[in-house]
Every structure is written in structure tokens, then in C-alpha cells.
Amino acid sequence: MPETIRNVACTVCGCVCDDLAVTVDGGRVVRAEGACRLAEPWFLGQNAAHPPAAEVAGRPADPGAAYDRAAELLRGARSPLIFGLSRSTTEGQRAATALADRIGATIDTTASTGHAPSLMALQQVGESTCTLGEVRNRADLVIFWGSDPARTHPRHLERYSADPVGRFVPGGRKDRFVVMVDDHETESAQLADLFIPVPAGRNWEALWTLRMLVRGIEPGPNPPAPFPKREGGVGVGSSSPPFSGEGPGEGFLGGQLRDLVARMKSCRCGVIFFGSGVTRERLAHRTVEALLQLVTDLNEYTRFYARRMRRYGDVAGADSVLAWQTGYPFGVNLARGYPRYNPGEFTGPDMLARGEVDVCLIVGGETAADLPDAAVAQLRRIPVILLDPPGVDPLVPAAVKFTTAVYGVHRVGTAYRMDEVPIPLRVILPTDYPSDGEVLGEMLKRV
Ligand code: SF4
């Protein structure tokens, strides 16, 4: 008999929508009401694949033998790395940290390929932050910078930021002004009230220009020494189109930046959601610092917040658990028996690219797909222990592979939404696979 389970949380993206109604029948999901175009195929595909619970060197193996082989590899490693963790839960992340501590590993999360610059920036200048509930109830100016939520977080606009009726925004969408800032006209830009094109690599300039305008300082036509003049620099001439080629300081977004500043200072509550368009550019931590400082400046005039758009369901949880357990949110080295943190030196992608890792344990290979080519090349040279849910193509050939249950489908757990609100996850389907936390706990016993 079909059974409908309500208030199911989805961990496909950082929105962690927890209002889905999922109908199950015969051990499969047959309907997922409220699921977006990313979530629906994910739910309907659960329990479709049944790979072996454990594999050694690409062949099905007895789980006991696979644990022994994994423990042997970890014991013999001089510089092991534990990486991933953003589709796990608090339980799995705690188990991974305990294992890293025991074997003196470096532990890092997919923040290193995403919002690591943001975490570095907020350590320097702080962050004016809020929950998504506060955005829903208060924000009348919503700015997305370097993010395309319609594509990457399909229900964000509907559920939190643009459409919902809130306590102080009773008209919903018509009471909000939505701005998209990006280097090209995205799908989300079509839904916005204003699209501001900022070329890739120029966000820092645009943000500092906004900071100056907010403080009433008129930016000069040319960048001050020692900054080199740049064609189409971030000036504020009001009539020329963006990048008209008229020369440095002329015409770049002038009117649009002035309009935006006026809206920022006069709104009742504003928020900037920022994403990979900001965090992937060179010296991105400086760009995010500028964005966070702009938001701090705006709090002299009105209520204003900054929020990171997190990609995977529990990447915010991975930051939180690592910070709670070690004092640092990513890139933590435990080789000396105490935590050391130094982005670049102890971040997984950099260590792999430099050939400094001799065994890598990946928790959630799918989320490691953003690793740079040099890091993936190193993964092909060293033994990899891979923990993946069913139906995921392995990122690289694994020396040992465990198939794990999916939190929020087969196991209860806690995932942290992109605003660091913990969301409980429910069981909707049965499975015989262990969770990643259970696999890591068994490895801990055997090392
Ligand atoms: S927006 Fe994200 S969390 Fe919400 S249903 Fe879609 S994929 Fe799941």
C-alpha cells in the first residue's frame, strides 16, 4: 500500500526544504510533492541501484575484509587526507573527525572548493547574518551576487527570498525588490527587478565603489596609484553603457550602482546572498571581505545582512562540526596531535595537487567533483577509500569502496541548512547499507 510521509527534508542543495510530501510504495519513492527539478529525480531514483556493500580493488568483497584493508591503508599512511563530508550529517562528520584525530590525518571539506574564501573573510571582518526565516519575514531588498538560484537552488526564491508572504512583507513578491548581480544574464536574472552585469574578476572593484558611494565619497575617474589604469574601470559616469570602451573610469555601471546604493540605504531590511561567482575569482577572500564590510557599513543606515549560498545539503554542517570539534572550519591538520589550520597548506585540493597526500578517504565522492584536475590526477596515483551512496559513479577508481545509506532517506540525522539552522532528517525507505558514520566508526575501531 502506498504511504505518504509529510514534512520530509531534502538534502540535495543547501536550502534543505523540509516541507516535502513523499509517497513510498514497494520500497521505492513513487511521488515527491514539493520537490523541485533537482530533487524529484533524486528522490525517485533512491533504491534503484543495488551495488555491493563493499568492494576491494574494484571487486565485491566481504565488508570485514574491506574494513581490514581500509584500516591497513590508513595505518600505513604517512600523510592521509579525509575529504568531502558535505552530503553527510553531524553524525558522519563527528565520526570522520574522530578518525582523523586517531590517525593524525588532514581533514577537509568541500568548502575548499566553494566558500573557503568566505570563511577566511568572515574570520577577518565578521559577518552580519540572519536565518532564512528572517529574510522571509523582513527583507524588502534581496540581492543575489554571483549566484543563479533558479538553477542551483530552485526553491530558494519561492520559499525564502522573493515570493513568500512575510510578517513585515505582507505583499510577498510585490513588496520586495530583487536584484541579480552576475557576469552574464542568468536564468535568475530574468526573474529579477534589476540585473547588474559585473564582468568576471571585477567584483572587488564594484563592491569598493559601492562602499565609497554608501559613505558619500565620490570615486575618482581613475584608480589611485599604485593601481594600474584599466580599460573600462569601475567609474560612476552615469550615462554611458557598461564597458563602452570610453576609457578608464568612464561609464561602468555608474547609474546602476548609484541606484543600488539609494535602494540599499532606504530599504527597511536588505540581504545579499552571494555565491560561487564571487568565491571563485582570484583573491576571493578579499572580495568577500569587501562585501561583508559593505553590509556592515549599511547597518549604519538600516538593517542589512549577508548570507552565503551553500551548494550541498550539509556543507554548512561540515563547517560547524569541524569548528566545534577542532576550532577550525576546514583544512585542519591533526598530524602533530593538535589541530593546525592554514588554508592553502592544509586544504585538500592544494595538498593533493602538490602530491602531499599518500592515502585519501573521500566521504561523498560526488561532492568532490569540483576538485581541480591536478588533484584528481593525484587521486588516480594513490590508494583511495571511497564512501558513496548507491547509484553514484565513482570519481576515481577506489582501492576500497563502501556503499553507504543516504541520510534523510535511509537514516535519521541532522543537516545544517545554508543559514546554519539544524534540520532533522527522517527515514522514508529501508536499506541494508550502513551509514557513513557507521562505516567510519568501524574503521576507527580497526585502526
Ligand atoms: S531547492 Fe534544494 S533543498 Fe529544496 S527541494 Fe530543491 S534541491 Fe531540495
Side-chain angles (χ1 to χ4, degrees), residues 212-244:
M212 294 174 83
L213 293 171
V214 165
R215 289 173 171 240
I217 302 168
E218 196 57 32
N222 291 318
F227 297 106
K229 290 182 180 181
R230 296 178 64 174
E231 186 70 16
V234 184
V236 289
S238 60
S239 57
S240 306
F243 286 83
S244 60

PDB file of all heavy atoms in Angstrom, residues 212-244:
ATOM      1  N   MET A 212      32.252  53.156  -1.242  1.00  0.00           N
ATOM      2  CA  MET A 212      32.535  54.600  -1.294  1.00  0.00           C
ATOM      3  C   MET A 212      31.249  55.395  -1.441  1.00  0.00           C
ATOM      4  O   MET A 212      31.026  56.389  -0.739  1.00  0.00           O
ATOM      5  CB  MET A 212      33.481  54.907  -2.462  1.00  0.00           C
ATOM      6  CG  MET A 212      34.867  54.308  -2.266  1.00  0.00           C
ATOM      7  SD  MET A 212      35.904  54.514  -3.715  1.00  0.00           S
ATOM      8  CE  MET A 212      36.486  56.179  -3.448  1.00  0.00           C
ATOM      9  N   LEU A 213      30.384  54.947  -2.326  1.00  0.00           N
ATOM     10  CA  LEU A 213      29.132  55.682  -2.552  1.00  0.00           C
ATOM     11  C   LEU A 213      28.257  55.668  -1.300  1.00  0.00           C
ATOM     12  O   LEU A 213      27.622  56.674  -0.973  1.00  0.00           O
ATOM     13  CB  LEU A 213      28.370  55.081  -3.740  1.00  0.00           C
ATOM     14  CG  LEU A 213      29.044  55.263  -5.111  1.00  0.00           C
ATOM     15  CD1 LEU A 213      28.316  54.452  -6.172  1.00  0.00           C
ATOM     16  CD2 LEU A 213      29.056  56.749  -5.502  1.00  0.00           C
ATOM     17  N   VAL A 214      28.228  54.553  -0.597  1.00  0.00           N
ATOM     18  CA  VAL A 214      27.434  54.481   0.644  1.00  0.00           C
ATOM     19  C   VAL A 214      27.936  55.509   1.635  1.00  0.00           C
ATOM     20  O   VAL A 214      27.165  56.155   2.344  1.00  0.00           O
ATOM     21  CB  VAL A 214      27.498  53.051   1.239  1.00  0.00           C
ATOM     22  CG1 VAL A 214      27.001  53.025   2.676  1.00  0.00           C
ATOM     23  CG2 VAL A 214      26.672  52.082   0.392  1.00  0.00           C
ATOM     24  N   ARG A 215      29.264  55.716   1.690  1.00  0.00           N
ATOM     25  CA  ARG A 215      29.840  56.671   2.637  1.00  0.00           C
ATOM     26  C   ARG A 215      29.860  58.096   2.103  1.00  0.00           C
ATOM     27  O   ARG A 215      30.425  58.994   2.748  1.00  0.00           O
ATOM     28  CB  ARG A 215      31.263  56.250   2.983  1.00  0.00           C
ATOM     29  CG  ARG A 215      31.286  55.007   3.854  1.00  0.00           C
ATOM     30  CD  ARG A 215      32.666  54.481   4.078  1.00  0.00           C
ATOM     31  NE  ARG A 215      32.599  53.437   5.092  1.00  0.00           N
ATOM     32  CZ  ARG A 215      33.236  53.471   6.244  1.00  0.00           C
ATOM     33  NH1 ARG A 215      34.000  54.489   6.538  1.00  0.00           N
ATOM     34  NH2 ARG A 215      33.110  52.488   7.109  1.00  0.00           N
ATOM     35  N   GLY A 216      29.318  58.272   0.904  1.00  0.00           N
ATOM     36  CA  GLY A 216      29.260  59.615   0.354  1.00  0.00           C
ATOM     37  C   GLY A 216      30.568  60.088  -0.243  1.00  0.00           C
ATOM     38  O   GLY A 216      30.775  61.285  -0.436  1.00  0.00           O
ATOM     39  N   ILE A 217      31.476  59.166  -0.530  1.00  0.00           N
ATOM     40  CA  ILE A 217      32.762  59.529  -1.151  1.00  0.00           C
ATOM     41  C   ILE A 217      32.618  59.335  -2.654  1.00  0.00           C
ATOM     42  O   ILE A 217      32.172  58.271  -3.112  1.00  0.00           O
ATOM     43  CB  ILE A 217      33.900  58.635  -0.611  1.00  0.00           C
ATOM     44  CG1 ILE A 217      33.996  58.773   0.901  1.00  0.00           C
ATOM     45  CG2 ILE A 217      35.226  58.953  -1.297  1.00  0.00           C
ATOM     46  CD1 ILE A 217      34.880  57.739   1.565  1.00  0.00           C
ATOM     47  N   GLU A 218      32.987  60.353  -3.391  1.00  0.00           N
ATOM     48  CA  GLU A 218      32.829  60.280  -4.844  1.00  0.00           C
ATOM     49  C   GLU A 218      34.064  59.597  -5.444  1.00  0.00           C
ATOM     50  O   GLU A 218      35.183  60.113  -5.317  1.00  0.00           O
ATOM     51  CB  GLU A 218      32.681  61.689  -5.406  1.00  0.00           C
ATOM     52  CG  GLU A 218      32.144  61.754  -6.809  1.00  0.00           C
ATOM     53  CD  GLU A 218      30.773  61.070  -6.960  1.00  0.00           C
ATOM     54  OE1 GLU A 218      29.957  61.076  -6.003  1.00  0.00           O
ATOM     55  OE2 GLU A 218      30.529  60.545  -8.052  1.00  0.00           O
ATOM     56  N   PRO A 219      33.890  58.435  -6.076  1.00  0.00           N
ATOM     57  CA  PRO A 219      35.054  57.793  -6.691  1.00  0.00           C
ATOM     58  C   PRO A 219      35.609  58.656  -7.811  1.00  0.00           C
ATOM     59  O   PRO A 219      34.846  59.257  -8.565  1.00  0.00           O
ATOM     60  CB  PRO A 219      34.496  56.480  -7.252  1.00  0.00           C
ATOM     61  CG  PRO A 219      33.194  56.282  -6.568  1.00  0.00           C
ATOM     62  CD  PRO A 219      32.669  57.649  -6.247  1.00  0.00           C
ATOM     63  N   GLY A 220      36.931  58.721  -7.890  1.00  0.00           N
ATOM     64  CA  GLY A 220      37.560  59.498  -8.951  1.00  0.00           C
ATOM     65  C   GLY A 220      37.431  58.785 -10.276  1.00  0.00           C
ATOM     66  O   GLY A 220      37.017  57.627 -10.338  1.00  0.00           O
ATOM     67  N   PRO A 221      37.783  59.470 -11.344  1.00  0.00           N
ATOM     68  CA  PRO A 221      37.643  58.860 -12.665  1.00  0.00           C
ATOM     69  C   PRO A 221      38.632  57.736 -12.899  1.00  0.00           C
ATOM     70  O   PRO A 221      38.378  56.833 -13.675  1.00  0.00           O
ATOM     71  CB  PRO A 221      37.890  60.020 -13.622  1.00  0.00           C
ATOM     72  CG  PRO A 221      38.676  61.007 -12.836  1.00  0.00           C
ATOM     73  CD  PRO A 221      38.257  60.856 -11.415  1.00  0.00           C
ATOM     74  N   ASN A 222      39.769  57.793 -12.248  1.00  0.00           N
ATOM     75  CA  ASN A 222      40.780  56.767 -12.458  1.00  0.00           C
ATOM     76  C   ASN A 222      41.142  56.141 -11.118  1.00  0.00           C
ATOM     77  O   ASN A 222      41.034  56.779 -10.082  1.00  0.00           O
ATOM     78  CB  ASN A 222      42.055  57.353 -13.060  1.00  0.00           C
ATOM     79  CG  ASN A 222      41.826  57.800 -14.482  1.00  0.00           C
ATOM     80  OD1 ASN A 222      41.166  57.115 -15.256  1.00  0.00           O
ATOM     81  ND2 ASN A 222      42.355  58.963 -14.806  1.00  0.00           N
ATOM     82  N   PRO A 223      41.620  54.885 -11.150  1.00  0.00           N
ATOM     83  CA  PRO A 223      42.055  54.281  -9.902  1.00  0.00           C
ATOM     84  C   PRO A 223      43.262  55.030  -9.358  1.00  0.00           C
ATOM     85  O   PRO A 223      44.107  55.489 -10.126  1.00  0.00           O
ATOM     86  CB  PRO A 223      42.457  52.856 -10.304  1.00  0.00           C
ATOM     87  CG  PRO A 223      42.071  52.685 -11.717  1.00  0.00           C
ATOM     88  CD  PRO A 223      41.820  54.029 -12.299  1.00  0.00           C
ATOM     89  N   PRO A 224      43.355  55.203  -8.043  1.00  0.00           N
ATOM     90  CA  PRO A 224      44.510  55.885  -7.485  1.00  0.00           C
ATOM     91  C   PRO A 224      45.768  55.039  -7.629  1.00  0.00           C
ATOM     92  O   PRO A 224      45.686  53.822  -7.704  1.00  0.00           O
ATOM     93  CB  PRO A 224      44.140  56.039  -6.007  1.00  0.00           C
ATOM     94  CG  PRO A 224      43.162  54.937  -5.739  1.00  0.00           C
ATOM     95  CD  PRO A 224      42.425  54.717  -7.009  1.00  0.00           C
ATOM     96  N   ALA A 225      46.930  55.694  -7.680  1.00  0.00           N
ATOM     97  CA  ALA A 225      48.188  54.956  -7.667  1.00  0.00           C
ATOM     98  C   ALA A 225      48.220  54.156  -6.364  1.00  0.00           C
ATOM     99  O   ALA A 225      47.678  54.627  -5.350  1.00  0.00           O
ATOM    100  CB  ALA A 225      49.349  55.939  -7.726  1.00  0.00           C
ATOM    101  N   PRO A 226      48.765  52.956  -6.274  1.00  0.00           N
ATOM    102  CA  PRO A 226      49.553  52.325  -7.328  1.00  0.00           C
ATOM    103  C   PRO A 226      48.739  51.422  -8.234  1.00  0.00           C
ATOM    104  O   PRO A 226      49.319  50.612  -8.952  1.00  0.00           O
ATOM    105  CB  PRO A 226      50.549  51.508  -6.504  1.00  0.00           C
ATOM    106  CG  PRO A 226      49.724  51.032  -5.339  1.00  0.00           C
ATOM    107  CD  PRO A 226      48.775  52.157  -5.039  1.00  0.00           C
ATOM    108  N   PHE A 227      47.396  51.548  -8.221  1.00  0.00           N
ATOM    109  CA  PHE A 227      46.620  50.646  -9.055  1.00  0.00           C
ATOM    110  C   PHE A 227      46.744  51.066 -10.512  1.00  0.00           C
ATOM    111  O   PHE A 227      46.612  52.244 -10.841  1.00  0.00           O
ATOM    112  CB  PHE A 227      45.153  50.657  -8.642  1.00  0.00           C
ATOM    113  CG  PHE A 227      44.960  50.165  -7.240  1.00  0.00           C
ATOM    114  CD1 PHE A 227      44.655  51.045  -6.210  1.00  0.00           C
ATOM    115  CD2 PHE A 227      45.124  48.826  -6.938  1.00  0.00           C
ATOM    116  CE1 PHE A 227      44.494  50.596  -4.918  1.00  0.00           C
ATOM    117  CE2 PHE A 227      44.969  48.369  -5.644  1.00  0.00           C
ATOM    118  CZ  PHE A 227      44.655  49.253  -4.635  1.00  0.00           C
ATOM    119  N   PRO A 228      46.971  50.107 -11.398  1.00  0.00           N
ATOM    120  CA  PRO A 228      47.102  50.458 -12.814  1.00  0.00           C
ATOM    121  C   PRO A 228      45.748  50.862 -13.396  1.00  0.00           C
ATOM    122  O   PRO A 228      44.704  50.417 -12.934  1.00  0.00           O
ATOM    123  CB  PRO A 228      47.587  49.152 -13.455  1.00  0.00           C
ATOM    124  CG  PRO A 228      47.109  48.080 -12.524  1.00  0.00           C
ATOM    125  CD  PRO A 228      47.093  48.678 -11.157  1.00  0.00           C
ATOM    126  N   LYS A 229      45.792  51.744 -14.376  1.00  0.00           N
ATOM    127  CA  LYS A 229      44.567  52.103 -15.066  1.00  0.00           C
ATOM    128  C   LYS A 229      44.063  50.884 -15.827  1.00  0.00           C
ATOM    129  O   LYS A 229      44.840  50.128 -16.389  1.00  0.00           O
ATOM    130  CB  LYS A 229      44.827  53.234 -16.063  1.00  0.00           C
ATOM    131  CG  LYS A 229      45.129  54.553 -15.396  1.00  0.00           C
ATOM    132  CD  LYS A 229      45.329  55.615 -16.452  1.00  0.00           C
ATOM    133  CE  LYS A 229      45.633  56.954 -15.790  1.00  0.00           C
ATOM    134  NZ  LYS A 229      45.822  58.018 -16.780  1.00  0.00           N
ATOM    135  N   ARG A 230      42.750  50.701 -15.819  1.00  0.00           N
ATOM    136  CA  ARG A 230      42.195  49.572 -16.550  1.00  0.00           C
ATOM    137  C   ARG A 230      41.143  50.077 -17.502  1.00  0.00           C
ATOM    138  O   ARG A 230      40.355  50.953 -17.170  1.00  0.00           O
ATOM    139  CB  ARG A 230      41.555  48.571 -15.592  1.00  0.00           C
ATOM    140  CG  ARG A 230      42.553  47.975 -14.676  1.00  0.00           C
ATOM    141  CD  ARG A 230      41.887  47.026 -13.718  1.00  0.00           C
ATOM    142  NE  ARG A 230      41.305  45.887 -14.418  1.00  0.00           N
ATOM    143  CZ  ARG A 230      40.769  44.855 -13.782  1.00  0.00           C
ATOM    144  NH1 ARG A 230      40.749  44.828 -12.472  1.00  0.00           N
ATOM    145  NH2 ARG A 230      40.261  43.858 -14.451  1.00  0.00           N
ATOM    146  N   GLU A 231      41.124  49.488 -18.671  1.00  0.00           N
ATOM    147  CA  GLU A 231      40.106  49.849 -19.647  1.00  0.00           C
ATOM    148  C   GLU A 231      38.735  49.582 -19.039  1.00  0.00           C
ATOM    149  O   GLU A 231      38.461  48.493 -18.531  1.00  0.00           O
ATOM    150  CB  GLU A 231      40.297  48.997 -20.911  1.00  0.00           C
ATOM    151  CG  GLU A 231      39.399  49.355 -22.066  1.00  0.00           C
ATOM    152  CD  GLU A 231      39.759  50.693 -22.683  1.00  0.00           C
ATOM    153  OE1 GLU A 231      40.874  51.205 -22.427  1.00  0.00           O
ATOM    154  OE2 GLU A 231      38.928  51.228 -23.402  1.00  0.00           O
ATOM    155  N   GLY A 232      37.878  50.607 -19.043  1.00  0.00           N
ATOM    156  CA  GLY A 232      36.540  50.405 -18.503  1.00  0.00           C
ATOM    157  C   GLY A 232      36.532  50.205 -17.013  1.00  0.00           C
ATOM    158  O   GLY A 232      35.760  49.419 -16.498  1.00  0.00           O
ATOM    159  N   GLY A 233      37.380  50.859 -16.266  1.00  0.00           N
ATOM    160  CA  GLY A 233      37.441  50.693 -14.815  1.00  0.00           C
ATOM    161  C   GLY A 233      36.132  51.073 -14.146  1.00  0.00           C
ATOM    162  O   GLY A 233      35.225  51.622 -14.774  1.00  0.00           O
ATOM    163  N   VAL A 234      36.031  50.783 -12.860  1.00  0.00           N
ATOM    164  CA  VAL A 234      34.763  50.984 -12.173  1.00  0.00           C
ATOM    165  C   VAL A 234      34.580  52.447 -11.830  1.00  0.00           C
ATOM    166  O   VAL A 234      34.795  52.883 -10.714  1.00  0.00           O
ATOM    167  CB  VAL A 234      34.693  50.108 -10.911  1.00  0.00           C
ATOM    168  CG1 VAL A 234      33.331  50.246 -10.258  1.00  0.00           C
ATOM    169  CG2 VAL A 234      34.915  48.669 -11.293  1.00  0.00           C
ATOM    170  N   GLY A 235      34.211  53.225 -12.786  1.00  0.00           N
ATOM    171  CA  GLY A 235      33.863  54.613 -12.525  1.00  0.00           C
ATOM    172  C   GLY A 235      32.366  54.736 -12.342  1.00  0.00           C
ATOM    173  O   GLY A 235      31.641  53.753 -12.348  1.00  0.00           O
ATOM    174  N   VAL A 236      31.900  55.940 -12.151  1.00  0.00           N
ATOM    175  CA  VAL A 236      30.475  56.113 -11.928  1.00  0.00           C
ATOM    176  C   VAL A 236      29.865  57.119 -12.889  1.00  0.00           C
ATOM    177  O   VAL A 236      28.825  57.682 -12.608  1.00  0.00           O
ATOM    178  CB  VAL A 236      30.181  56.537 -10.478  1.00  0.00           C
ATOM    179  CG1 VAL A 236      30.433  55.396  -9.541  1.00  0.00           C
ATOM    180  CG2 VAL A 236      30.989  57.763 -10.106  1.00  0.00           C
ATOM    181  N   GLY A 237      30.510  57.365 -14.030  1.00  0.00           N
ATOM    182  CA  GLY A 237      29.863  58.200 -15.040  1.00  0.00           C
ATOM    183  C   GLY A 237      28.479  57.640 -15.311  1.00  0.00           C
ATOM    184  O   GLY A 237      28.328  56.446 -15.504  1.00  0.00           O
ATOM    185  N   SER A 238      27.467  58.488 -15.312  1.00  0.00           N
ATOM    186  CA  SER A 238      26.111  57.956 -15.214  1.00  0.00           C
ATOM    187  C   SER A 238      25.463  57.631 -16.554  1.00  0.00           C
ATOM    188  O   SER A 238      24.476  56.923 -16.591  1.00  0.00           O
ATOM    189  CB  SER A 238      25.234  58.952 -14.468  1.00  0.00           C
ATOM    190  OG  SER A 238      25.228  60.160 -15.179  1.00  0.00           O
ATOM    191  N   SER A 239      25.990  58.107 -17.647  1.00  0.00           N
ATOM    192  CA  SER A 239      25.200  57.961 -18.857  1.00  0.00           C
ATOM    193  C   SER A 239      25.710  56.888 -19.818  1.00  0.00           C
ATOM    194  O   SER A 239      24.979  56.420 -20.664  1.00  0.00           O
ATOM    195  CB  SER A 239      25.171  59.308 -19.600  1.00  0.00           C
ATOM    196  OG  SER A 239      26.484  59.710 -19.874  1.00  0.00           O
ATOM    197  N   SER A 240      26.962  56.484 -19.682  1.00  0.00           N
ATOM    198  CA  SER A 240      27.498  55.554 -20.672  1.00  0.00           C
ATOM    199  C   SER A 240      27.109  54.125 -20.331  1.00  0.00           C
ATOM    200  O   SER A 240      26.952  53.777 -19.179  1.00  0.00           O
ATOM    201  CB  SER A 240      29.022  55.659 -20.706  1.00  0.00           C
ATOM    202  OG  SER A 240      29.382  56.993 -20.915  1.00  0.00           O
ATOM    203  N   PRO A 241      26.964  53.285 -21.334  1.00  0.00           N
ATOM    204  CA  PRO A 241      26.656  51.880 -21.061  1.00  0.00           C
ATOM    205  C   PRO A 241      27.877  51.173 -20.474  1.00  0.00           C
ATOM    206  O   PRO A 241      28.994  51.665 -20.590  1.00  0.00           O
ATOM    207  CB  PRO A 241      26.328  51.316 -22.451  1.00  0.00           C
ATOM    208  CG  PRO A 241      27.050  52.215 -23.398  1.00  0.00           C
ATOM    209  CD  PRO A 241      27.078  53.560 -22.759  1.00  0.00           C
ATOM    210  N   PRO A 242      27.667  50.041 -19.831  1.00  0.00           N
ATOM    211  CA  PRO A 242      28.785  49.314 -19.241  1.00  0.00           C
ATOM    212  C   PRO A 242      29.831  48.982 -20.294  1.00  0.00           C
ATOM    213  O   PRO A 242      29.518  48.577 -21.392  1.00  0.00           O
ATOM    214  CB  PRO A 242      28.133  48.028 -18.719  1.00  0.00           C
ATOM    215  CG  PRO A 242      26.685  48.324 -18.626  1.00  0.00           C
ATOM    216  CD  PRO A 242      26.405  49.375 -19.634  1.00  0.00           C
ATOM    217  N   PHE A 243      31.078  49.157 -19.918  1.00  0.00           N
ATOM    218  CA  PHE A 243      32.199  48.809 -20.778  1.00  0.00           C
ATOM    219  C   PHE A 243      32.046  49.341 -22.189  1.00  0.00           C
ATOM    220  O   PHE A 243      32.120  48.635 -23.176  1.00  0.00           O
ATOM    221  CB  PHE A 243      32.445  47.283 -20.770  1.00  0.00           C
ATOM    222  CG  PHE A 243      33.068  46.892 -19.487  1.00  0.00           C
ATOM    223  CD1 PHE A 243      32.278  46.678 -18.377  1.00  0.00           C
ATOM    224  CD2 PHE A 243      34.441  46.828 -19.355  1.00  0.00           C
ATOM    225  CE1 PHE A 243      32.845  46.362 -17.153  1.00  0.00           C
ATOM    226  CE2 PHE A 243      35.015  46.518 -18.142  1.00  0.00           C
ATOM    227  CZ  PHE A 243      34.211  46.292 -17.045  1.00  0.00           C
ATOM    228  N   SER A 244      31.807  50.631 -22.257  1.00  0.00           N
ATOM    229  CA  SER A 244      31.614  51.253 -23.558  1.00  0.00           C
ATOM    230  C   SER A 244      32.923  51.456 -24.291  1.00  0.00           C
ATOM    231  O   SER A 244      32.932  51.816 -25.449  1.00  0.00           O
ATOM    232  CB  SER A 244      30.947  52.611 -23.354  1.00  0.00           C
ATOM    233  OG  SER A 244      31.791  53.421 -22.550  1.00  0.00           O
TER     234      SER A 244
END
